[in-house]
Amino acid sequence: MKSPPRRPVLVSSAALVLANLVPLAGVLAGGWRVFDVLLLFWAENVVIGILNLARMAMVALRGERGGLAMAGFFAVHYGIFTVVHGVFVVTLFGPPGASPIAGFALLLAPGLALPLAALAASHGLSFVVNFVVGGEMDRTTLGALMAAPYGRVVVLHVTIIFGGFAVEASGAPIVALALLVGLKILVDLAAHVAEHRGPRAAAARP
């Protein structure tokens, strides 16, 4: 069986790495705190969920039975998962006494808005070049899309949350934060390549 083309994955992988270099610059030159990094990467989860919902809606419109209902269930389930995760991040790492809403509002600050826009653009590019142009839309199913974000999100954020605790306990926070962002890039890149070229993608083909 012919494998999917590699070029779209290479393009989206390069974009993902470049987008992740923006928060790395924030750590090295912008004086970012642990909370800034974790809040940014939490917000990236929201982008991933929205784009996955768009993927499910597009596949559902092909006529798969129960597709829109499944997309709605994903929106509710992933939404609850993401909100709980965000409250956890704000409670453990946010400013003392800050409410979750106040913590989330910090994403509107210029220092975090630009990195978030860069990450969102990289995921949007992947959506276009891999899912639409690369033909993943015709090779996947709603069941595969329903489960797709969770493995990546859980592994990645367990890694960076425990890394966040390690950074706070470190005597060299800038170095430790830079290493944490570097680790995130490696884990994220590996998950991205596996998602678009690995066994799951092959298994999703009819």
Side-chain angles (χ1 to χ4, degrees):
M1 182 179 293
K2 186 178 179 180
S3 60
R6 294 184 178 183
R7 183 168 296 179
V9 178
L10 294 176
V11 170
S12 59
S13 297
L16 185 66
V17 172
L18 289 174
N20 275 284
L21 293 179
V22 179
L24 182 60
V27 169
L28 295 176
W32 281 25
R33 303 161 298 170
V34 175
F35 177 61
D36 298 323
V37 173
L38 295 185
L39 184 65
L40 175 66
F41 292 153
W42 169 82
E44 187 182 11
N45 288 351
V46 178
V47 173
I48 290 171
I50 291 171
L51 288 176
N52 197 63
L53 184 61
R55 291 182 179 93
M56 295 184 72
M58 291 175 69
V59 172
L61 291 175
R62 290 189 324 208
E64 187 167 335
R65 187 174 181 180
L68 292 179
M70 188 176 293
F73 176 78
F74 170 81
V76 173
H77 187 275
Y78 189 87
I80 294 172
F81 169 82
T82 304
V83 169
V84 171
H85 180 190
V87 171
F88 181 76
V89 168
V90 173
T91 301
L92 289 182
F93 298 97
S99 68
I101 294 177
F104 300 155
L106 294 175
L107 287 167
L108 300 176
L112 289 180
L114 176 61
L116 178 57
L119 289 171
S122 76
H123 287 287
L125 177 67
S126 177
F127 174 79
V128 173
V129 301
N130 291 306
F131 191 74
V132 180
V133 178
E136 288 183 357
M137 179 173 61
D138 301 319
R139 299 190 298 268
T140 193
T141 65
L142 282 167
L145 290 173
M146 172 72 78
Y150 290 100
R152 178 178 183 173
V153 166
V154 169
V155 170
L156 181 61
H157 285 270
V158 165
T159 300
I160 65 173
I161 283 175
F162 277 100
F165 285 119
V167 170
E168 289 202 329
S170 170
I174 294 180
V175 174
L177 258 181
L179 290 175
L180 176 61
V181 176
L183 176 62
K184 190 265 184 184
I185 293 174
L186 293 176
V187 174
D188 206 10
L189 181 60
H192 178 76
V193 172
E195 178 181 347
H196 296 290
R197 293 176 57 189
R200 183 195 307 161
R205 298 176 208 162

